[in-house]
Amino acid sequence: MAIIDVTVIPIGTDTPSVSRYVADIQRILANWAEEGKITYELTPMSTLIEGELPALLEVVQEMHESPFKNGIERVATNIRIDDRRDRNNHSMKNKLASVKQQLMKLEP
Amino acid sequence: MAIIDVTVIPIGTDTPSVSRYVADIQRILANWAEEGKITYELTPMSTLIEGELPALLEVVQEMHESPFKNGIERVATNIRIDDRRDRNNHSMKNKLASVKQQLMKLEP
Amino acid sequence: MAIIDVTVIPIGTDTPSVSRYVADIQRILANWAEEGKITYELTPMSTLIEGELPALLEVVQEMHESPFKNGIERVATNIRIDDRRDRNNHSMKNKLASVKQQLMKLEP
Amino acid sequence: MAIIDVTVIPIGTDTPSVSRYVADIQRILANWAEEGKITYELTPMSTLIEGELPALLEVVQEMHESPFKNGIERVATNIRIDDRRDRNNHSMKNKLASVKQQLMKLEP
């Protein structure tokens, strides 16, 4: 399983507000999640998605298409992929747990 | 106030595990937060930090230095800045609230 | 046509030097370019690739797989997509030309 | 010396064209380069800048401010930092040279 972190920025909107486009993308993700293909989480800065890499790249393409369907003519999408294969428990939950464990070790 | 989203990747570690370096960076952030200069949040993919932009860039520099202090000789840091000045309530909390409001509007 | 900007970072190499992995990826790109599906350019910080978006995402997946084939167990890939559809001449060459034209306009 | 790779995206422009903002930023960089503090290069996807890290972060802040001075109210800036300290010849030129050397080694 891989984890990706995605931002989709519509360029050429008349206002600085883009929450409407973010909301459209969240509904796309809800559909994928309902089918059990991904899990996802909205943060204040991006969307984090967990799943098999080929599925994740399909999801990215659908997210990136979304503002074009609403009349936007330019989209800047940014993706970070974190893919770890030496363990089979690489997940959003376990990554946070590892850092917390390290933090406890370090406390005096 | 601006919001930044930061990843710090140490290159040339002997294992794929980097949680130890992430934990060191969290302690740097805890110090800045205690002084009231930033608020921050660890996600499974990065750290989100809210504050005045000049302070945020100082924080980034300190985060980026951290692995070097532990013997690492190359660091790849990635930063996304989101800075909005038409309102004075641009914050992590309000960004999430805006998307949720949009999602409710869209429900039938 | 879209343009993407890709970095592939192998994590858990014994040295800070990763040029060997970058070279492997350049040969993958040379194959795609020979088949006429993309054009690409190596910069000191990343690889820029121009083509149809679905092909570009296939290329990204192959680039991202490459270090795993050489024994690396964790890979961090970063992608920026710039996709503009109000003109049919969106290309690496034309983007640079637009900025140069603006720079000349601005000279006194 | 470190190398950074920067994109500055103005949000809420009336058209998808942003070359005017990119040109303004190039003139900021020309000033810094004239003073001998950085060297830089415009690519079709971003601007690459080489220099000491504290100077680079000052430059980033000035680049990021630029669209606000032209009436834009939201800016999304993306920065990749590559900082290597086991050699004192880490530069844009040498990074490309290393990859080319690897490519020649690999040819039959």
Side-chain angles (χ1 to χ4, degrees):
Chain A
M1 284 229 301
I3 310 170
I4 62 173
D5 174 330
V6 187
T7 62
V8 176
I9 302 177
I11 300 177
T13 53
D14 27 336
T15 75
S17 187
V18 299
S19 55
R20 180 196 146 191
Y21 302 98
V22 178
D24 279 343
I25 287 171
Q26 296 306 301
R27 287 186 300 158
I28 292 171
L29 294 168
N31 288 340
W32 280 83
E34 252 173 58
E35 294 174 25
K37 291 182 183 162
I38 59 163
T39 55
Y40 72 103
E41 181 186 321
L42 180 66
T43 82
M45 285 294 275
S46 66
T47 304
L48 312 185
I49 319 171
E50 193 175 279
E52 298 301 327
L53 191 57
L56 294 177
L57 291 176
E58 273 184 68
V59 173
V60 163
Q61 199 161 343
E62 213 173 315
M63 294 168 75
H64 175 84
E65 276 318 308
S66 175
F68 289 111
K69 290 189 179 152
N70 292 308
I72 292 294
E73 298 186 296
R74 186 174 193 173
V75 176
T77 291
N78 185 272
I79 308 148
R80 296 175 182 144
I81 305 174
D82 179 21
D83 191 352
R84 183 170 180 179
R85 303 189 185 169
D86 60 331
R87 334 181 138 174
N88 51 18
N89 64 353
H90 184 60
S91 68
M92 295 201 273
K93 200 177 143 190
N94 289 332
K95 283 185 74 180
L96 280 183
S98 294
V99 175
K100 274 174 195 160
Q101 209 178 358
Q102 288 286 344
L103 282 172
M104 285 191 303
K105 251 196 251 175
L106 294 162
E107 307 285 314
Chain B
M1 285 229 301
I3 310 170
I4 61 172
D5 173 331
V6 187
T7 63
V8 176
I9 302 178
I11 300 178
T13 54
D14 29 335
T15 74
S17 188
V18 299
S19 54
R20 180 196 146 189
Y21 302 97
V22 178
D24 280 343
I25 287 170
Q26 296 307 300
R27 286 185 303 158
I28 291 171
L29 294 168
N31 289 339
W32 280 82
E34 252 173 58
E35 294 173 25
K37 291 182 183 161
I38 59 162
T39 56
Y40 72 102
E41 181 184 322
L42 179 67
T43 82
M45 286 294 275
S46 65
T47 304
L48 312 185
I49 319 172
E50 194 175 280
E52 298 301 327
L53 191 57
L56 294 177
L57 291 176
E58 274 184 67
V59 172
V60 162
Q61 199 161 342
E62 212 173 316
M63 295 169 75
H64 176 82
E65 278 314 310
S66 176
F68 288 111
K69 290 189 179 153
N70 292 308
I72 292 296
E73 298 188 296
R74 187 175 194 173
V75 175
T77 291
N78 185 270
I79 308 148
R80 295 175 183 145
I81 304 173
D82 179 22
D83 191 353
R84 182 169 180 180
R85 304 189 184 167
D86 60 329
R87 334 179 138 175
N88 51 17
N89 64 354
H90 184 59
S91 68
M92 295 201 273
K93 200 176 143 190
N94 288 334
K95 283 185 74 179
L96 280 183
S98 293
V99 175
K100 273 173 197 161
Q101 209 178 356
Q102 289 286 342
L103 284 171
M104 285 192 303
K105 252 196 250 173
L106 295 162
E107 307 285 314
Chain C
M1 285 227 301
I3 310 170
I4 61 173
D5 173 330
V6 187
T7 62
V8 176
I9 302 177
I11 301 178
T13 53
D14 19 320
T15 74
S17 188
V18 298
S19 55
R20 181 194 145 193
Y21 302 97
V22 177
D24 279 344
I25 287 171
Q26 295 307 300
R27 286 186 302 158
I28 291 170
L29 294 168
N31 288 339
W32 280 83
E34 252 173 58
E35 294 173 26
K37 291 181 183 163
I38 59 162
T39 55
Y40 73 102
E41 182 185 321
L42 180 66
T43 82
M45 286 293 276
S46 66
T47 303
L48 312 185
I49 318 172
E50 193 174 281
E52 298 301 328
L53 191 57
L56 294 177
L57 291 176
E58 275 184 67
V59 173
V60 162
Q61 199 162 344
E62 213 173 315
M63 294 168 75
H64 175 82
E65 276 317 309
S66 175
F68 289 111
K69 290 190 180 152
N70 293 308
I72 292 295
E73 297 187 298
R74 187 174 193 173
V75 176
T77 291
N78 185 271
I79 307 148
R80 295 175 183 145
I81 304 175
D82 179 22
D83 191 353
R84 182 170 180 178
R85 304 189 185 168
D86 60 330
R87 333 181 139 174
N88 51 18
N89 65 354
H90 185 58
S91 68
M92 295 202 272
K93 200 176 142 190
N94 288 334
K95 282 185 76 179
L96 280 182
S98 293
V99 175
K100 274 174 195 160
Q101 209 177 359
Q102 289 285 343
L103 282 171
M104 285 192 302
K105 251 195 249 174
L106 295 162
E107 307 285 315
Chain D
M1 284 227 302
I3 309 171
I4 62 173
D5 174 330
V6 187
T7 62
V8 175
I9 303 177
I11 301 177
T13 54
D14 19 316
T15 74
S17 188
V18 299
S19 55
R20 181 198 145 188
Y21 302 97
V22 178
D24 280 343
I25 287 171
Q26 295 307 300
R27 286 185 302 157
I28 291 170
L29 294 168
N31 288 339
W32 280 83
E34 252 173 60
E35 294 174 25
K37 291 182 182 161
I38 59 162
T39 56
Y40 72 102
E41 182 185 321
L42 179 67
T43 82
M45 285 293 275
S46 65
T47 304
L48 312 185
I49 319 172
E50 193 175 279
E52 299 300 328
L53 191 57
L56 294 177
L57 291 176
E58 274 185 67
V59 173
V60 163
Q61 199 162 342
E62 213 174 315
M63 295 169 75
H64 175 83
E65 276 316 308
S66 175
F68 288 111
K69 290 189 179 152
N70 292 309
I72 292 294
E73 297 187 297
R74 186 175 194 173
V75 175
T77 291
N78 185 274
I79 307 149
R80 294 174 182 145
I81 304 174
D82 180 21
D83 191 352
R84 182 170 180 179
R85 304 190 185 167
D86 60 331
R87 335 181 137 175
N88 51 18
N89 64 354
H90 185 59
S91 68
M92 295 201 273
K93 201 177 143 190
N94 289 334
K95 283 185 73 179
L96 281 183
S98 294
V99 175
K100 275 173 195 160
Q101 209 177 357
Q102 288 286 344
L103 283 171
M104 284 191 304
K105 254 197 247 173
L106 295 161
E107 307 285 314

